[in-house]
Amino acid sequence: MCDKLDSEKEKLSTLSDVSKFNYALKQFQTLIGKTVAQKREERLGMYVKDQDEIDYDKFYETVQTLFGPEVKDQDVKTFFRKISNNPDGRIEWCEIFGYFIVEGDALASQLDEENMVFLVSRRQQITKAGVKRRDVIKCIAKVPQLDFMVTASQKGMLTIFNSQVILIHARFFFSPLDSSWVTGCDYLTQLKRIVAVTERTVVVWDYKSQGSCQDNCFIIKPMEHCLLCVCTVNLGDQLAKDDILMGDDGGHVNLFTVTSDDFGLKQSKAKKKSQLQILDSRKFKNIKRKLHDDWVVKVKFISVLNCFGSCSLDSVHSFVLDDLKRLEDNLPVREFSVPRGVNAFTYCGKANIIVTGGK
């Protein structure tokens, strides 16, 4: 077997990338055929062990020789287990890379460019991500309309990257005496500013203005509870104002409204140079409702459904999905219970489903 593998390696090294993959694919299909035949004979009790027996170790070694590190160990295990459990079942070569073919018309509708790619080896590391030593990224927010991403580090560094992964802005917005950690960030689509939340404050950063970070940052405080997550509500019909959803450690979901008047020129001129501009949170419109009996770890507004979602480690009120109006009244909300709660969720528009994850 070792001689065969050495021979395969030599053969692959002499081919171009396309020819190499096609050759590896043919050899892989041959391997599948032999493995399936062996498993069928084993089920019938007709198989006699010999030196050509294909066990998992031999199967794994051959796959690694053919495709290299592009194939994950878990996908090889899953593929081999599928053949072992059902040698008569349908098997597609792409499953070795973690991709699965769907039956019927669903396949035709999904054969677009993004789903036709099986091998991805392009990977880029950002060496200067604007994060200091012993600091970590706590949140990443994608802004598709402007083609950039915002990251927030735990110790207060906001960073903006464009599509070429080039750092275009990075600012500290805390004073050395402020020990609060950042828990989330997002982009205000109407005010065109960055919002971030810490344990007790809301931070609004005018990233486009000239001058120091402190000149362009507004700190809204105090907040009654510790803020754990934030997202912007994109309704599209609002001018000069943004609604922000925030979750806290008291189980509340907050609907916080900021307008252009809140960050007007009068306040900018009245401030002292190089001093953070502090705004009183009591002057802002803030609607909140207790929906969970534990921390609210994620909030998200799903514009396609015109609903907000919030999740918690609460086993009874684990996930809530309802209209924003439910935050203003006491009517029952649509909620789901999951043992030990939900700490992550996302919505897929193509499949029209919501996926949750928890402990």
Side-chain angles (χ1 to χ4, degrees), residues 1-6 8-9 12 28 31 53-69 71 73 76-77 80 96:
M1 185 69 183
C2 290
D3 293 338
K4 276 188 181 179
L5 290 176
D6 291 339
E8 294 295 344
K9 287 179 182 177
L12 287 168
F28 179 60
L31 175 66
E53 179 190 5
I54 302 174
D55 57 9
Y56 172 72
D57 291 335
K58 193 175 290 186
F59 185 86
Y60 175 82
E61 190 178 353
T62 306
V63 170
Q64 286 293 312
T65 301
L66 294 173
F67 299 114
V71 179
D73 294 356
V76 179
K77 257 184 210 175
F80 187 79
I96 199 68

Side-chain angles (χ1 to χ4, degrees), residues 143-180:
V143 188
Q145 63 269 34
L146 296 178
D147 195 23
F148 67 66
M149 300 184 73
V150 183
T151 66
S153 76
Q154 192 175 65
K155 293 184 178 179
M157 175 72 83
L158 287 179
T159 309
I160 299 177
F161 298 94
N162 65 12
S163 58
Q164 283 76 45
V165 203
I166 298 173
L167 176 66
I168 57 176
H169 284 92
R171 298 286 189 271
F172 275 104
F173 53 70
F174 296 139
S175 67
L177 300 177
D178 193 340
S179 60
S180 297

Side-chain angles (χ1 to χ4, degrees), residues 254-321:
N254 301 258
L255 183 61
F256 197 84
T257 303
V258 292
T259 68
S260 57
D261 293 338
D262 297 325
F263 315 107
L265 293 174
K266 290 182 180 179
Q267 287 174 323
S268 297
K269 290 178 180 178
K271 69 178 178 61
K272 293 181 180 180
K273 189 175 181 181
S274 297
Q275 185 175 10
L276 291 173
Q277 301 170 75
I278 310 297
L279 303 180
D280 188 348
S281 61
R282 291 169 295 185
K283 296 181 179 179
F284 290 79
K285 181 182 177 182
N286 185 20
I287 301 168
K288 71 176 180 180
R289 180 177 174 182
K290 186 176 177 66
L291 297 176
H292 306 275
D293 292 331
D294 206 325
W295 293 6
V296 180
V297 293
K298 180 174 181 177
V299 288
K300 185 177 179 65
F301 182 73
I302 306 170
S303 55
V304 178
L305 304 179
N306 197 28
C307 288
F308 77 93
S310 63
C311 66
S312 170
L313 303 180
D314 180 2
S315 296
V316 179
H317 314 287
S318 309
F319 178 66
V320 172
L321 180 69

Side-chain angles (χ1 to χ4, degrees), residues 180-249:
S180 297
W181 284 359
V182 174
T183 53
C185 68
D186 207 346
Y187 179 73
L188 301 177
T189 54
Q190 297 300 322
L191 300 185
K192 294 179 174 53
R193 300 185 182 196
I194 306 297
V195 62
V197 293
T198 74
E199 296 167 8
R200 295 287 177 180
T201 61
V202 178
V203 180
V204 178
W205 175 38
D206 186 0
Y207 66 96
K208 295 183 296 182
S209 295
Q210 299 295 321
S212 69
C213 168
Q214 291 185 340
D215 294 341
N216 304 322
C217 261
F218 294 86
I219 309 294
I220 304 170
K221 67 177 187 178
M223 304 304 291
E224 185 178 354
H225 293 274
C226 178
L227 301 176
L228 302 174
C229 50
V230 63
C231 82
T232 305
V233 177
N234 296 318
L235 293 175
D237 57 350
Q238 301 184 124
L239 294 176
K241 80 167 187 175
D242 278 291
D243 288 325
I244 307 166
L245 283 172
M246 299 181 294
D248 63 37
D249 63 349

Side-chain angles (χ1 to χ4, degrees), residues 33-87:
K34 289 180 180 178
T35 308
V36 167
Q38 176 183 309
K39 294 301 177 184
R40 284 174 181 162
E41 289 182 5
E42 286 178 2
R43 286 202 161 198
L44 297 172
M46 299 170 56
Y47 181 72
V48 179
K49 290 188 177 183
D50 56 24
Q51 61 178 7
D52 293 327
E53 179 190 5
I54 302 174
D55 57 9
Y56 172 72
D57 291 335
K58 193 175 290 186
F59 185 86
Y60 175 82
E61 190 178 353
T62 306
V63 170
Q64 286 293 312
T65 301
L66 294 173
F67 299 114
E70 299 288 356
V71 179
K72 297 179 182 177
D73 294 356
Q74 187 59 43
D75 291 332
V76 179
K77 257 184 210 175
T78 303
F79 193 92
F80 187 79
R81 191 181 299 122
K82 180 177 179 179
I83 295 177
S84 301
N85 294 338
N86 185 16

